[in-house]
Amino acid sequence: MISFVKSSVSMLLFVFSAFSYAESPPPINGTEINYRYNVNVESYNPNTLTTTSCQGTLVSPSWVLTGLKCIKNANLSETHVVSIHDHESLAIHQVKKVYKFKKKKFALLQLDQTITTSSAITLLREPLLPRHGRFAAEVVQGLGYSTAFSIKGKNKKTARHNTRPVEFEKNFKGGAWILKTHNLGDVQIGLTHNRYQSIQTASIAKKIDRIISQNCKRLINPAF
């Protein structure tokens, strides 16, 4: 197991690291893995008359995290999220509002209704840095498909992960990079940015919490 004894990051990351290599057992009899937090993000660009298809992850029952490029110049009224109930049925959810994190290249989407058939993913609270060593991670590329890699945080400023070159199809942008643990389950550490890197999500985890919390208060008290 990897230990962060020499690191100065928070105790949360320290505890989390102890389980980072404790991967969940493989599917029984080749059963396809169901990443219930994975969704598709479809957005229409009225300037180019084209539709962009990306991946996203459910971080709260009515909130989805995806890549900024996935909704760039998109028509909000034509942007929606597709969640899959099982392998044969799906549901389409309208995007109510978009919060953009331009420097981090993320977009947080508020849906017009909650998704009750899927579970939200846990976000890592502190970034992984080079001194933490390498981790076994999975890149989610669809409901039942992922690719395993050995990753390492790049540096504190960019907070990205390096991996060996691998071709990601265009609509895999925004897909989750995860660590599989026994104590926390799948923990999201980043979003697919290009075929070499993911951008870590830890840097905006607190902002995401604050935005979701503020909007929940407004629903309880419209005058807030």
Side-chain angles (χ1 to χ4, degrees), residues 121-140:
I121 194 170
T122 300
L123 294 177
L124 185 64
R125 316 308 297 181
E126 298 288 341
L128 300 180
L129 303 176
R131 64 175 180 269
H132 299 149
R134 304 195 72 86
F135 286 79
E138 291 189 12
V139 181
V140 180

Side-chain angles (χ1 to χ4, degrees), residues 21-105:
Y21 273 113
E23 296 190 12
S24 302
I28 300 176
N29 299 325
T31 303
E32 201 171 33
I33 301 171
N34 187 351
Y35 297 104
R36 297 182 63 82
Y37 47 77
N38 191 74
V39 298
N40 289 339
V41 179
E42 309 282 345
S43 61
Y44 176 71
N45 187 330
N47 298 320
T48 60
L49 303 180
T50 58
T51 299
T52 300
S53 179
C54 291
Q55 301 292 302
T57 47
L58 195 67
V59 296
S60 189
S62 58
W63 296 84
V64 168
L65 189 63
T66 189
L68 184 61
K69 287 184 177 180
C70 297
I71 51 88
K72 189 175 182 180
N73 299 322
N75 185 340
L76 185 58
S77 63
E78 295 294 336
T79 302
H80 57 269
V81 167
V82 180
S83 65
I84 302 178
H85 293 176
D86 50 46
H87 295 294
E88 297 181 353
S89 64
L90 53 82
I92 299 177
H93 310 271
Q94 190 69 38
V95 174
K96 179 180 179 180
K97 192 171 183 179
V98 176
Y99 294 84
K100 299 179 180 180
F101 301 86
K102 295 182 179 180
K103 290 185 178 181
K104 299 297 182 181
K105 304 185 187 305

Side-chain angles (χ1 to χ4, degrees), residues 104-121:
K104 299 297 182 181
K105 304 185 187 305
F106 292 120
L108 182 63
L109 313 180
Q110 182 182 16
L111 307 182
D112 63 346
Q113 57 184 336
T114 59
I115 298 178
T116 59
T117 56
S118 297
S119 303
I121 194 170

Side-chain angles (χ1 to χ4, degrees), residues 145-197:
Y145 177 63
S146 67
T147 305
F149 292 101
S150 173
I151 66 162
K152 185 177 182 179
K154 187 175 181 182
N155 58 54
K156 189 173 182 179
K157 185 177 181 180
T158 58
R160 295 185 179 182
H161 300 298
N162 289 336
T163 184
R164 66 172 185 262
V166 58
E167 290 288 347
F168 289 106
E169 293 186 15
K170 193 172 184 179
N171 62 352
F172 289 157
K173 289 281 184 68
W177 286 40
I178 62 172
L179 296 176
K180 302 180 77 66
T181 71
H182 283 309
N183 63 325
L184 297 177
D186 291 1
V187 178
Q188 179 168 329
I189 57 176
L191 292 179
T192 299
H193 179 58
N194 57 42
R195 67 176 184 167
Y196 300 99
Q197 298 175 325

